[in-house]
Amino acid sequence: MTSGYRTTVDLNDWLLPVLSLIGGAAGAAVINFGFGLWKLKADRKDEHSRWLRDQRQVAYVDYLESTRRLFEWVSFRELASVNGNLEMTGGGML
């Protein structure tokens, strides 16, 4: 008399689900790795853009400061020459 249950385990009964699980995990790992690389590249690009912007800002501020000092020096010399006091022009404005 048989009860209707199998007493032997077929290889397909457990191997295919295990392989599907392993394949799914490996696929997810590959996808996560790909997105990680993409994010790293995007972050590097953003950081480089930020660095370039900061460098341009520093250069522009230096340019404005130099221009302001030159303008003050030229204005001071013109004022001194109008007043006839050319000895004032040697004073360290720059």
Side-chain angles (χ1 to χ4, degrees):
M1 177 168 159
T2 61
S3 61
Y5 294 107
R6 293 186 306 188
T7 56
T8 61
V9 177
D10 191 13
L11 189 62
N12 290 334
D13 288 342
W14 65 271
L15 183 62
L16 290 179
V18 168
L19 288 179
S20 296
L21 184 64
I22 291 172
V30 168
I31 289 171
N32 281 334
F33 181 75
F35 277 123
L37 287 179
W38 175 77
K39 177 79 168 114
L40 178 66
K41 185 176 179 182
D43 288 347
R44 279 184 173 178
K45 186 176 180 182
D46 290 344
E47 183 63 31
H48 182 68
S49 296
R50 239 180 264 119
W51 180 81
L52 282 177
R53 184 189 64 225
D54 292 344
Q55 295 301 310
R56 282 193 302 266
Q57 180 184 9
V58 167
Y60 187 64
V61 167
D62 289 345
Y63 167 76
L64 289 177
E65 180 67 22
S66 299
T67 304
R68 182 190 61 80
R69 294 174 102 191
L70 180 64
F71 180 74
E72 287 176 354
W73 184 74
V74 168
S75 298
F76 182 75
R77 285 192 50 96
E78 286 177 358
L79 181 62
S81 67
V82 167
N83 290 336
N85 190 1
L86 294 177
E87 287 83 32
M88 290 177 56
T89 61
M93 286 296 289
L94 290 176

